[in-house]
């Protein structure tokens, strides 16, 4: 795989224009990039990522004029949000322009749009002159990538190049918010921007969609129904140190212990948004059997971090799942 640096944006552009998917950095996580109107390259993303075809992609823009070609209307509330959070880790679901390929929207009438703040992402999109669509650069269901090395580890032999922009400063994906019904904004995925920050700008409450379904029992956001972020090791969340210690003594497995502070637990790693995916990947690289998470208040109060942890642990045991 070619590893491109900041002086190589022209090479990255050349590859994109010649129909290759490439890895690229954003401030949240790395993405797998294709030009929005290149259907064949967009289809390649789904193959490389092994992503179900009914899960749509986010469009990444570098300036507001690029919206015109991809959305059919701008709902009330969008501009206050874009002023407050663009560029940055917020994706807004808007009515899609009919010319957006169905390969991108997975046949939905909506499209998620965000303006990343990573300088290399902005430079690449501006040089291309059209939005870049990108899912996170990981195989479906596995932890996201927050460094170029993570992308190489996952896609060596499958991807021609990655643009290396260093370690992603935020470390969890963007917040996904639907404004399709502007009176009832819905949060599909907690992320880099908090629900409270959005509510302050909109001046209204934002519903959390995690459990909302259509009448036909289809999840509102297609991605919600798939398993996510899971390492090979079993992830178990604890709310008291005693329970975690008892578990460790009883099971006596090779376990990676995560906690948000320097407390009294020996040999633990510090868990934050910034370290989450690196640590879930470390568990695989070093063949840990279990990831034991001590969910203290700092972790429990972070909606984005808890969402990723609970998904990584899903179909697995969550002790005392009510978080305070
Ligand atoms: O931070 C991010 O958002 C990263 C970086 C690369 O930008 N991208 C990312 O993409 O996380 P992906 O595809 O891994 O996750 C996007 C999520 C999926 O759960 C998808 O179902 C949802 O957003 N989504 C995308 N378009 C949607 C739409 N039109 N309606 C509902 N949900 C949508
Ligand atoms: Mg993803």
């Amino acid at each position: 795989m070619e590893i491109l640096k900041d002086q190589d944006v022209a090479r990255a552009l050349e590859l994109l224009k010649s129909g290759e998917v490439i890895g690229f950095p954003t401030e949240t996580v790395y993405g797998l990039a294709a030009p929005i109107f290149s259907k064949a390259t967009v289809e390649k993303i789904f193959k490389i990522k092994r992503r179900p075809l009914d899960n749509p992609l986010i469009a990444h823009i570098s300036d507001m004029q690029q919206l015109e070609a991809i959305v059919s209307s701008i709902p009330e509330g969008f501009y206050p949000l874009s002023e407050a959070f663009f560029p940055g880790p917020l994706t807004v679901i808007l009515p899609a322009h009919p010319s957006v390929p169905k390969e991108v929207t997975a046949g939905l009438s909506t499209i998620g749009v965000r303006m990343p703040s990573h300088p290399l992402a902005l430079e690449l999109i501006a040089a291309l002159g059209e939005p870049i669509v990108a899912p996170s650069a990981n195989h479906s269901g596995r932890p996201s990538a927050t460094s170029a090395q993570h992308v190489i580890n996952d896609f060596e032999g499958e991807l021609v190049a990655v643009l290396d922009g260093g370690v992603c400063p935020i470390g969890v994906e963007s917040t996904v918010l639907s404004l399709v019904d502007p009176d009832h904004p819905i949060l599909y995925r907690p992320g880099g921007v908090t629900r409270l920050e959005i509510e302050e700008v909109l001046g209204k409450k934002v519903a959390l969609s995690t459990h909302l379904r259509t009448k036909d029992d289809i999840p509102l956001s297609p991605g919600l129904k798939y398993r996510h972020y899971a390492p090979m090791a079993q992830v178990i969340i604890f709310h008291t140190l005693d329970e975690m210690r008892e578990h460790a003594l009883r099971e006596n497995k090779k376990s990676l212990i995560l906690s948000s502070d320097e407390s009294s637990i020996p040999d633990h790693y510090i868990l934050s948004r910034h370290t989450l995916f690196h640590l879930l990947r470390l568990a695989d690289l070093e063949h840990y059997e279990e990831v034991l998470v001590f969910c203290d208040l700092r972790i429990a109060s972070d909606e984005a971090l808890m969402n990723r942890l609970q998904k990584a642990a899903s179909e697995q045991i969550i002790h005392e799942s009510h978080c305070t």
Side-chain angles (χ1 to χ4, degrees), residues 49 51 135-136 138 144 173 189 228-229:
K49 187 173 161 94
R51 179 177 178 109
S136 52
N138 52 279
S144 299
E173 299 85 347
R189 178 176 72 183
H228 276 103
Y229 314 120

Side-chain angles (χ1 to χ4, degrees), residues 12 40-41 122 178:
T41 321
L122 288 172
S178 174

Side-chain angles (χ1 to χ4, degrees), residues 260-317:
S260 81
D261 65 24
E262 333 275 334
S263 66
S264 51
I265 318 168
D267 298 329
H268 72 280
Y269 287 83
I270 302 288
L271 176 63
S272 66
R273 290 176 171 198
H274 191 63
T275 60
L276 170 74
F277 289 124
H278 175 72
L279 291 171
L280 292 180
R281 284 166 171 271
L282 183 73
D284 281 350
L285 278 176
E286 302 197 349
H287 307 291
Y288 281 89
E289 294 171 276
E290 292 183 330
V291 177
L292 308 184
V293 183
F294 173 49
C295 178
D296 54 21
L297 265 182
R298 202 177 324 173
I299 295 175
S301 60
D302 185 328
E303 206 164 57
L305 190 53
M306 274 315 286
N307 167 273
R308 307 309 187 267
L309 286 171
Q310 282 171 336
K311 288 191 171 188
S314 70
E315 294 163 42
Q316 303 174 357
I317 317 152

